[in-house]
């Protein structure tokens, strides 16, 4: 067994060395890397002059930094996320999907015409032309290709109109419909960023080139900051609760369905932002015939993950889902995080537990599961408001005890 492990390690090392020898050390930010030939079936081309060297030699180009620039990363970087800089500003380059998922999208489009060797851009262009360049009609005709994004899962027409209207403000080119459909089908994150950047909860979207988007780098994730002093973590919790509250009352409800600590980061000013916005469900509460009573997420289906129903979220004008997601997912002593199962608010100072004995109870009430046996419906929204008030009060008085 030991010899076998040594042999496998040797083979793995040999493969890596051969890769470096044959391909070189560094990734080239060229047309092949950004998949420019896929355009206009891509995310856009507005940022290409800052990425591709031959387009404008006089401008300061975006470049990869650290290990993100190693060619070996193309084999191990499953999420296709790379770090770089634009001048002195750190940025993140995302392909928004694994290479196999990008190929799967191309295959689905080709299957519309049952063609083996097809031109994806040509098919999308013809599809839009036949539908008078109406993206909503195209989505309705091919929901299995373009209608799977969490952002439009509720099929509320005003949501699609809002996303498209905001998107056309950053993409004014002749192929904006193809860019929009491709982005929506693969990963709607840049659409959310362009639509809700003004909220302050998302990083700025700098632009697109081929099948790469560039966002501002925010900072370390909450996982990486899980060791900082309790008061700092309490401030992050405050912001998460404020985010949950704002998203739950906004014109379009934004429901967080992936609350991993790795999906939130903190910038240099201490502001928490969402750095993975793919899995956000949007609901238009103005839609007729929605249930007006608040939907309570019963937390049924699993004890160590965030269970939810698209039908329930889409069918109600309001829901306590965000409070459940934040409290149970990140703050509770039985949170979902593998890196921090004790929750973000673990080990409070003694003066906090003495002055605020109800703090832990409010956390667990906010995270509480629905119990059919006792017919107890958790009052998460009320618990979340009390918890937020306590944390705000603690942070105001913390100077006295620091």
């Amino acid at each position: 067994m030991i010899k076998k492990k040594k042999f496998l390690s040797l083979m793995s090392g040999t493969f890596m060395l051969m890769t470096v020898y044959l391909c070189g050390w560094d990734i080239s930010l060229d047309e092949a890397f950004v998949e420019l030939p896929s355009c206009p079936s891509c995310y856009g081309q507005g940022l290409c002059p800052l990425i591709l060297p031959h387009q404008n030699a006089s401008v300061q180009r975006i470049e990869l930094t650290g290990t993100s620039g190693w060619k070996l990363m193309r084999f191990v970087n499953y999420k296709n996320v790379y770090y770089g800089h634009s001048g002195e500003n750190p940025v993140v380059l995302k392909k928004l999907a694994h290479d196999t998922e990008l190929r799967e999208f191309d295959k689905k489009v080709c299957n519309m015409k049952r063609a083996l060797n097809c031109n994806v851009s040509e098919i999308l262009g013809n599809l839009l032309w036949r539908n008078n360049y109406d993206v909503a009609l195209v989505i309705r005709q091919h929901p299995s290709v373009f209608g799977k994004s969490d952002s439009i899962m509720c099929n509320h027409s005003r949501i699609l109109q809002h996303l498209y209207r905001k998107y056309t403000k950053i993409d004014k080119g002749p192929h904006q419909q193809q860019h929009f459909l491709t982005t929506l089908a693969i990963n709607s994150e840049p659409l959310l960023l362009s639509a809700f950047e003004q909220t302050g909860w998302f990083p700025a979207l700098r632009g697109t080139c081929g099948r790469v988007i560039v966002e501002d780098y925010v900072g370390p994730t909450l996982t990486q900051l899980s060791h900082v002093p309790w008061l700092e973590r309490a401030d992050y919790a405050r912001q998460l609760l404020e985010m949950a509250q704002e998203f739950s009352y906004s014109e379009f409800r934004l429901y967080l369905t992936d609350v991993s600590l790795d999906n939130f980061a903190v910038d240099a000013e201490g502001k928490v932002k969402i750095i993975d916005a793919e899995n956000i469900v949007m609901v238009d509460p103005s839609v007729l015939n929605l249930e007006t009573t608040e939907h309570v997420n019963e937390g049924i289906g699993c004890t160590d993950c965030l269970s939810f129903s698209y039908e329930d979220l889409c069918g109600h004008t309001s829901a306590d889902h965000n409070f459940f997601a934040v409290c149970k997912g990140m703050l509770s002593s039985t949170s979902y995080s593998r890196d921090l199962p004790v929750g973000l608010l673990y080990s409070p100072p003694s003066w906090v537990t003495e002055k605020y004995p109800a703090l832990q109870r409010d956390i667990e009430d906010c995270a509480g599961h629905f119990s059919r046996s006792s017919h107890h419906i958790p009052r998460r929204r009320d618990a979340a408001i009390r918890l937020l008030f306590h944390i705000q009060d603690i942070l105001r008085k913390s100077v006295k005890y620091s």
Side-chain angles (χ1 to χ4, degrees), residues 336-347:
Y336 301 138
S337 172
R338 294 181 180 179
D339 296 313
L340 196 63
V342 292
L344 198 60
L345 293 175
Y346 69 92
S347 302

Side-chain angles (χ1 to χ4, degrees), residues 294 323 362 366 378-388:
E294 181 177 72
F323 302 108
D362 288 336
C366 180
R379 303 281 294 177
R380 294 199 191 98
R381 194 183 292 264
D382 293 342
I385 292 173
R386 291 196 305 270
L387 176 60
L388 177 57

Side-chain angles (χ1 to χ4, degrees), residues 53 114 123 362 384 391:
R114 305 187 188 282
I123 290 178
D362 288 336
I391 293 176

